[in-house]
Each structure stands twice: as C-alpha cells, then as structure tokens.
Amino acid sequence: MNLKTSVSIFTALLVIPGCSSPENRESQKPTITATTSIIADVVRNITGDKVNVISIMGAGVDPHLYKASQGDVQLLQEANMVIYNGLHLEGKMSEVLEKLSHGKTVVAVSDGIDKKFVRTINSDANVYDPHIWFDMKIWREGVQYISGEIQSKFPEIATEVDSCTRNYLHQIDSVQTACEQLIAELDTQKRILITSHDAFEYFGRRFGFTVRGLQGISTLSESGLKDVTDMVNYIITNKVKSVFVENSVPQKALRSVIDGCNAKGWDVKVGGELFSDALGANGTAEGTYLGMVEFNVRTIVKGLK
Ligand SMILES: [Zn+2]
C-alpha cells in the first residue's frame, strides 16, 4: 500500500456516526476528567456524546513535568470519574491523584495492561516505561479496560459506550495495519529512531526500530555533555540521516547534537516534529490519538528513507 492509500483509509475512519462528541459542556451528562490530551481523546471516542470530557493538560504539554494548578484540582474534584495514564507518567500529580482516589472513581489506563507487556526500566525499583500508547496492540487493552470501568460506573450509557468502544478498537486495528504497511517501505537497517526523550521504545519494539532518546524515559533528567557526545558518535557511526524533535520537549539539546554532527562533517537533519506525550492542536489530524500515531509514522518513514 502506498502513502496516499493509507492516508485515505485513515481519513475515512474518522467519520463514525453516533460516536463523535460535541465540544460543549452539558450539565446533565456525567463528566470524566482525563489527565492528558491523549487519554481525553480516547475517552471522547469511546463514550460518543454521552459524557463531558475534560483534559487537564492541553496540546503540547509535557506530562512528566506537569503540576496540577488549583483550577485543575477543582476540575478533578468536580468530575464524576478521573482517568489517568499511570506508571508514573504524571509524576508530579501522583499525590493529587492518590488523594482523589479515596472519594472518587480514579482509573489508570495502565492497570488494564498485563504487566508482562509493560517495559521495565529498573525492575528492582518497579520503574516502568509509561509511554504505552505507542504500542497500539497493548494500548487497546487499556482502552477496553477503561471502557469497562466507564460502563460499570455509568450503566445508563453502557450500551452506547460498548458500541463506540467496539468501533474505536476497530479503528485502532486499521491504523495499526496502515502503519505496518507504511513502515514496510523502510529498509530494516534504516530503522533507527533518535528523538529528544525516550518516548518511542514501545513503538520501536512493535515496529523493529532501534530507539535512542537523548534525555531518557522522563524529561525530568536533563541531558549532559557526555550524552550529546555519545549521541553524535552513535549517529555518525550508524550513518543516521535524520533525528526527530518532539512537540512536548524543548529542541535545544537535540539541536546541539545536530551541531556536533555537522562539526564532524556528518550532515544530519531534523526529520520533522513527532507528537510524543501530547496531541497536536485541536482540529488537526495530529489533534487525535490515531491521527498523531499515523502522522508520526509518516514523518519517521519520510525522514529515514
Ligand atoms: Zn515522555
């Protein structure tokens, strides 16, 4: 399948009667508040127009560093249900979420995913890679799990939620297939993905990429001079054509890698911007989870070909 065909398949998938949600808030509906824009989009898709969905973090916001404001805490307290990623993605919101869980239904998407599929960073310390949305085959398990939790909490809308969820899972599977076909165009030795931080290890595991992030699994740790030098040498040794910036991470550190490569005579380019921990702007294809995944794959394949 060529690029054009898979894009049109994706566009066709976006039009699902009955499972699209208006943005306006209606008081008679239950409210579900999600931490990240990615989770909020998923919840909108699986609940149709039956729920008010609020996202605490907007487009381009880094969840590793995000602290809940007073206004956020109020939104979380007012919600009928709170859904978050877990695995310490929302590291600086842990306390707020923990407190909320005593009087409210608070659900982590990651609780629906079998731990044997979750990447371990440090098994002794129970540190897991939180970027589970980049492996659609395990993310769909989390989607099914939160759908079940929503249906138990709000039985009056269970039928609609079940139907929208089935529809959405079908869309996830179709985008997975379209991505596989796009990536098949890329020679296996060219599958080296270098980004600002290590958000793409699940993606790499699923699609056979070697993944290197300058900053590690969380953006909390800043990259040092040695990280930059090591990355420069790695890029030159492996003749990597392009590196990728991310929408939720400052570009400065990766820019110094590019400068370092150029200084040593290797012309590495920015292959494009990837959407890693947050969606793109509302109203764009990258403003939805599935659109973001498909956009990333197209950008990666184009940049590395
Ligand atoms: Zn991240």
Side-chain angles (χ1 to χ4, degrees):
M1 181 188 289
N2 64 30
L3 205 67
K4 213 172 163 189
T5 324
S6 50
V7 170
S8 61
I9 280 174
F10 179 72
T11 313
L13 285 169
L14 288 174
V15 189
I16 306 296
C19 293
S20 62
S21 160
E23 294 291 317
N24 59 321
R25 196 169 170 188
E26 294 169 51
S27 56
Q28 70 274 22
K29 297 177 184 176
T31 296
I32 297 179
T33 298
T35 51
T36 70
S37 52
I38 294 169
I39 296 170
D41 176 62
V42 170
V43 176
R44 276 189 198 105
N45 274 282
I46 63 173
T47 56
D49 58 359
K50 302 295 171 200
V51 168
N52 298 311
V53 183
I54 294 174
S55 177
I56 292 292
M57 298 175 217
V61 173
D62 180 348
H64 302 285
L65 304 178
Y66 192 83
K67 287 181 188 149
S69 69
Q70 207 51 48
D72 296 335
V73 173
Q74 197 178 339
L75 284 174
L76 290 163
Q77 282 169 344
E78 285 169 2
N80 301 100
M81 185 173 187
V82 172
I83 303 183
Y84 69 111
N85 186 81
L87 304 176
H88 221 63
L89 177 77
E90 304 94 337
K92 295 190 181 286
M93 287 182 68
S94 315
E95 211 175 301
V96 171
L97 292 166
E98 211 278 321
K99 272 187 192 158
L100 278 169
S101 68
H102 296 300
K104 194 176 288 296
T105 308
V106 180
V107 176
V109 182
S110 56
D111 281 348
I113 298 173
D114 190 326
K115 276 286 189 291
K116 72 175 184 240
F117 299 121
V118 177
R119 291 187 65 249
T120 316
I121 308 304
N122 179 344
S123 50
D124 297 335
N126 277 334
V127 181
Y128 297 101
D129 180 350
H131 304 90
I132 42 180
W133 55 93
F134 280 130
D135 180 345
M136 285 179 272
K137 291 200 174 178
I138 66 167
W139 183 245
R140 79 193 299 294
E141 303 298 315
V143 172
Q144 276 181 299
Y145 171 70
I146 59 169
S147 173
E149 294 294 306
I150 294 168
Q151 291 174 51
S152 317
K153 174 80 180 167
F154 311 111
E156 67 281 8
I157 57 166
T159 310
E160 292 89 342
V161 173
D162 181 57
S163 151
C164 287
T165 302
R166 285 168 197 272
N167 216 327
Y168 192 59
L169 291 171
H170 177 67
Q171 291 182 57
I172 291 179
D173 296 341
S174 301
V175 172
Q176 166 75 27
T177 305
C179 289
E180 282 167 10
Q181 285 163 340
L182 278 169
I183 288 166
E185 296 174 18
L186 196 61
D187 296 342
T188 46
Q189 73 272 20
K190 287 185 176 172
R191 294 184 195 178
I192 299 177
L193 179 59
I194 295 173
T195 57
S196 301
H197 90 299
D198 246 339
F200 292 90
E201 293 283 358
Y202 286 100
F203 174 87
R205 186 176 74 179
R206 177 59 65 193
F207 292 116
F209 282 75
T210 302
V211 176
R212 290 284 168 99
L214 189 58
Q215 268 179 283
I217 224 74
S218 167
T219 52
L220 276 171
S221 59
E222 286 188 19
S223 54
L225 190 61
K226 188 179 179 301
D227 300 317
V228 172
T229 310
D230 289 350
M231 190 65 98
V232 167
N233 292 336
Y234 181 82
I235 288 170
I236 295 172
T237 308
N238 291 283
K239 298 186 168 60
V240 180
K241 269 177 69 181
S242 302
V243 299
F244 298 87
V245 295
E246 294 171 45
N247 70 323
S248 55
V249 185
Q251 300 183 7
K252 201 175 148 230
L254 206 58
R255 292 280 171 193
S256 50
V257 169
I258 294 169
D259 293 344
C261 290
N262 292 343
K264 289 187 173 182
W266 180 253
D267 184 24
V268 69
K269 294 190 168 45
V270 174
E273 183 185 52
L274 303 181
F275 294 87
S276 49
D277 292 4
L279 297 179
N282 254 340
T284 63
E286 312 85 76
T288 67
Y289 163 67
L290 291 175
M292 165 184 105
V293 169
E294 191 260 359
F295 178 91
N296 284 346
V297 168
R298 268 195 293 138
T299 305
I300 292 165
V301 171
K302 194 169 164 232
L304 296 179
K305 241 180 182 175

